[in-house]
Each structure stands twice: as structure tokens, then as C-alpha cells.
Amino acid sequence: MSDGQRKGPEPVVPLKGEDVFWLTDLYPDAKALFEHDHANLTDVVDACIVVLDANVLLLPFEFSKASVGEVERVYKELATAGRLVVPGQAAREFYKHRSKKIAAIVEAIDCAIGRARKQIFDKPIPLLEDDPDYQAARELGKEVIKKGNEVVEKLSAINVKLQDELGADRVSILYRNILGGCVTEVAIGVDERKAVIDEVARRARLQIAPGYKDHNKEDGGVGDYLVWRAILQEGESRKTHCIFVTEEQKSDWWVKKHGTFQPRPELIEEYRRASEGKSIHFLPLSALLSNFKAGIDTVNEVQQLEEEKRENDAAIAPSVRDKFTHYRNLKTEKRNREIHENLAQIDLIDGRIKRLKEMVSKDGLIDDDIAQHIYNLSLDRSGYIDEIESLVAQSPNERLSFDFNSMKLREWLGHVVKEG
């Protein structure tokens, strides 16, 4: 390496076994790295295949009617030409999350119903009963309530339809009419699943795109890999350029430079090999619609929604969550250690107090020095208890080694040294 440091998709631990040849496996055709001429988007848009990711399929649930119409026009044009592709994994993820989109719409309707039911006058104001403006306002209030009840009736009917008529929303109907013949499956038999899991694990270990950022998710990144396999499969069979339409922003798909910069080079190269020299472009839905001459209002609406989602995703980015979780766990471990140390100190003090009490004469008389020493130790013990209480109160993690919330700490610690 020119500067002694790995760049790009690199393992985070020393390589072992065949992993040391990770770069050779990643770019087996070194000559092609210089010779491949990546085609411009404008040169391929009229003839390439267009692959839709699950997150793109979910976006139109938040579009206006006009924008959904533009999406329908573009998808229908591509599907009719045999150029539209939906990976089977993307279809499954869409189906899994579709109900959440409908639930969000129902929730928004419920909020509107709650506002429509609000009374303007919760109770009469006797002092203003003879005021003509007040009387007029009361009459108008009755009209508002009547209209509000009509609004509630209409919105409630919509809710019933959304909840009972599954798949009857306009987006689902659009997809049912267009996308059924566009799904491409990656044929993986039961006996081949382990090989896929091993490949995903290898990519995660070596940080090879895509999916290694999802190794902590429920599927371990298999979902992204299956989508990518479908893209490669289509490229291999059709030998054509490709546009992958996705809202994916993670660095296991993109080179990051103040946001997305360009697709990861290993993805471009892997598609080139599969398609025998063709190129792949990654686009958001707004850019696809723009290239297919959708109206400016639709492009602006979709683009604004995409930007809002990116901002929301950035606010809860996995890297930020992971760093915070790591910091929180370290702080919690430190506090737990401090609590254990102080509890051990209390046990030690309790033992010393007990031994000192055993030194008291049988007739109950206590030497002044011994009594004072016992009293001082009791104060020390109380100070440790206060310190532990403070540590628990400051802890950012409720799941500590002790259940301090179920009883008072002093009671949990047991007996308290009695004076005298």
C-alpha cells in the first residue's frame, strides 16, 4: 500500500487463512480496473434495466395522488418494455413493512378525529349569558361541533376501510397491476443456505459491500446480499446496464463524503464482471422520475420527502447509536464496579462493628473509646450508603446488578447499626 494503511473495504482484525487474499478475490481482473469505461447515465437510461429496492417501494404511501400517478406511469412504461425488476427479497421486505405505512396513516386519521371531537365550550359561562356576542359564538360552536361530527364519521369510515380491506389502498393496487411480472427470484435451495450465510459472514468480516453494516440486524445482512444477488443475476442473464433505485444511505453501499458520493467500487466491479462489461448506477426515486420526465412538482415533492427521511435517519444513524450504547455500557460497568466496591467496604465495616460489639462486657457496659469508635464506623457506613444512592440515581441504565427500584436502598442493605 502506498501509505501503509488499508483503504476501503478492510477487515478490522488481522487476516487469517485465505482471507489474506481478500483484495485478489475482490478484484480478480486487475487489467479490467484500468480498461473499464463506466457508461454515463444519460447514455444508458433509455435501454437499461431498472431495479427497485424495498425502501423505494414503500415511499409512495406518503405521496400525493398526482405523484403516485407519475410513479405509475414510469413503472408501467418500464414494465411494459420488460425493463423493470423487483428482487424477491425487496418484495418480501415491502410486504413485511407495508402494514406499518398503513398504520401510520390510520394514526394520523385518529389524531384528526380527536381534534374534530373537541368542544369549543367545555361548559357555559353564566356571567356572559346575556352577551349577544357570546350567544352568537355559542350558536356557531354548535355548528362547528356538528361539522366536527360529520368529519369524524367520514374519517372513521376511511379507517375501517384501511383496516379491513387489506391491500385495497391505491399504492398496493398499483403494484398489483404492474409489478407481479417484474419479480426476480434468486434460487437458493435449503442445502445452499449455509453457503449464503458463510458468504455474508465473510463479507461482514472483510467489510465487503453490501450488507456488512447490517451484521447486527435480525438477518445479519442476508437481506441486502440477496437483493444484490438478484441484481447480479439479472446483469448476468441480460448483459445490460442497470439503474438500482434505492434510498439506502449506509457506507456498505456508498463511498461517503459529506453524504453519498458514489457507489462502492467493489459493487461497480462485481456488476461489470457479472454483466460482461456493463455499468450500474445508483439513484434515488426522485432522480429516476426526473430522468423519465416526471412533472417538476412530483420530482420536488419526492425529493423533499427523501431529504426529510435522510435527516431523520442521520439523527438515529446506527454508528451514532452504537457509539452511545458503547459509552453507556462503559459508564454502567464503571458504576457497577463502584457499587460493588462500596458494598464490599460496607460489609467490611459491618464486620468490624460486629466484632467491636462482641468486645462489649457481658454486663452491657461499653467503654467510652469503643462506643465512640462504633459510632464513627456507623457514620462511615452511612456515607457509603449515600454514595451508592447517588451512583444509582445518576446511572443511565436501569438494568443494574441490583434491583434498587423495588425497595429503598437502606432496607435492601439490611440492618442498620443501632446507637447505644
Side-chain angles (χ1 to χ4, degrees):
M1 304 294 290
S2 59
D3 58 0
Q5 299 293 324
R6 296 182 187 275
K7 301 294 183 184
E10 56 184 288
V12 294
V13 294
L15 299 174
K16 297 179 181 179
E18 293 186 3
D19 283 353
V20 299
F21 294 99
W22 71 284
L23 201 56
T24 301
D25 294 337
L26 197 62
Y27 303 116
D29 188 354
K31 182 181 178 183
L33 300 180
F34 293 106
E35 295 179 344
H36 177 61
D37 184 15
H38 196 70
N40 291 326
L41 177 62
T42 54
D43 296 331
V44 306
V45 71
D46 292 330
C48 67
I49 57 172
V50 174
V51 182
L52 304 179
D53 203 358
N55 45 41
V56 169
L57 292 172
L58 291 165
L59 273 180
F61 282 101
E62 300 176 56
F63 291 176
S64 66
K65 180 180 178 181
S67 293
V68 172
E70 286 282 50
V71 169
E72 181 177 15
R73 177 187 64 80
V74 173
Y75 286 1
K76 190 172 183 178
E77 176 184 334
L78 289 167
T80 301
R83 297 169 53 199
L84 191 61
V85 176
V86 179
Q89 180 68 18
R92 294 182 180 94
E93 290 179 9
F94 161 77
Y95 191 79
K96 174 185 175 183
H97 295 293
R98 179 181 66 175
S99 58
K100 294 180 181 178
K101 290 293 185 180
I102 300 298
I105 295 171
V106 171
E107 183 177 353
I109 293 174
D110 286 339
C111 291
I113 288 174
R115 290 192 295 271
R117 280 177 169 159
K118 285 188 176 180
Q119 301 284 336
I120 296 178
F121 298 98
D122 293 333
K123 58 182 180 179
I125 306 174
L127 185 63
L128 300 177
E129 285 180 352
D130 295 333
D131 189 296
D133 290 330
Y134 174 71
Q135 292 173 356
R138 292 276 294 182
E139 291 302 317
L140 288 173
K142 292 178 183 179
E143 291 298 318
V144 171
I145 293 169
K146 181 180 177 181
K147 291 296 183 183
N149 290 334
E150 293 177 9
V151 170
V152 169
E153 182 181 352
K154 298 296 184 184
L155 292 178
S156 298
I158 295 173
N159 262 355
V160 170
K161 286 190 289 186
L162 287 173
Q163 294 177 54
D164 293 345
E165 299 176 13
L166 300 178
D169 59 273
R170 68 183 183 213
V171 175
S172 298
I173 292 173
L174 182 161
Y175 291 166
R176 186 158 57 246
N177 292 336
I178 297 177
L179 300 186
C182 302
V183 174
T184 183
E185 289 283 13
V186 177
I188 298 175
V190 175
D191 56 338
E192 299 175 281
R193 290 179 178 179
K194 186 179 185 305
V196 170
I197 293 171
D198 290 343
E199 173 61 14
V200 171
R202 183 185 76 87
R203 287 178 176 247
R205 184 172 66 251
L206 299 176
Q207 296 189 10
I208 297 174
Y212 69 80
K213 283 289 185 180
D214 290 341
H215 69 280
N216 287 325
K217 292 176 66 174
E218 59 184 3
D219 68 355
V222 169
D224 279 4
Y225 176 69
L226 292 179
V227 170
W228 180 240
R229 276 280 297 269
I231 294 172
L232 295 178
Q233 179 176 286
E234 289 298 307
E236 184 177 7
S237 65
R238 302 195 192 207
K239 306 295 188 293
T240 186
H241 300 294
C242 176
I243 291 176
F244 180 38
V245 189
T246 181
E247 294 302 312
E248 186 62 73
Q249 297 289 308
K250 295 194 297 295
S251 58
D252 57 348
W253 286 95
W254 294 90
V255 175
K256 305 288 282 188
K257 182 69 174 177
H258 305 298
T260 58
F261 175 56
Q262 57 183 215
R264 291 288 292 259
E266 63 266 35
L267 297 177
I268 295 174
E269 170 59 14
E270 193 170 9
Y271 187 82
R272 181 203 65 77
R273 294 199 307 273
S275 62
E276 297 184 6
K278 303 302 181 181
S279 301
I280 185 170
H281 292 266
F282 289 19
L283 296 181
L285 181 56
S286 59
L288 178 78
L289 294 173
S290 178
N291 276 279
F292 280 84
K293 308 205 171 27
I296 187 63
D297 290 340
T298 290
V299 173
N300 288 340
E301 178 189 351
V302 177
Q303 194 170 47
Q304 182 177 350
L305 180 61
E306 290 168 344
E307 290 173 356
E308 289 174 0
K309 289 189 175 298
R310 287 177 199 133
E311 290 174 359
N312 292 337
D313 290 343
I316 54 172
S319 59
V320 175
R321 286 201 307 269
D322 291 345
K323 289 178 181 178
F324 173 75
T325 300
H326 179 65
Y327 167 78
R328 184 186 64 189
N329 289 341
L330 288 177
K331 296 290 286 186
T332 299
E333 290 173 6
K334 179 181 178 182
R335 288 188 170 96
N336 272 328
R337 286 196 302 271
E338 291 173 343
I339 289 171
H340 278 291
E341 290 170 1
N342 286 320
L343 286 173
Q345 186 67 29
I346 289 173
D347 288 339
L348 178 63
I349 293 173
D350 280 347
R352 292 171 65 189
I353 293 173
K354 182 179 179 181
R355 287 194 297 274
L356 285 170
K357 284 188 173 182
E358 289 172 351
M359 295 169 60
V360 176
S361 59
K362 293 181 181 180
D363 59 6
L365 296 177
I366 301 176
D367 180 86
D368 288 342
D369 290 338
I370 293 176
Q372 185 62 45
H373 194 38
I374 292 174
Y375 177 73
N376 291 339
L377 288 174
S378 299
L379 290 179
D380 289 341
R381 183 183 189 281
S382 178
Y384 278 110
I385 293 173
D386 291 340
E387 184 178 351
I388 292 175
E389 287 177 331
S390 175
L391 286 170
V392 173
Q394 296 172 21
S395 175
N397 190 341
E398 296 178 358
R399 292 180 295 180
L400 296 172
S401 299
F402 312 98
D403 185 10
F404 290 107
N405 296 321
S406 64
M407 60 185 73
K408 292 181 180 179
L409 181 61
R410 293 178 189 275
E411 295 173 352
W412 181 84
L413 288 172
H415 68 277
V416 178
V417 176
K418 296 181 181 179
E419 295 186 19

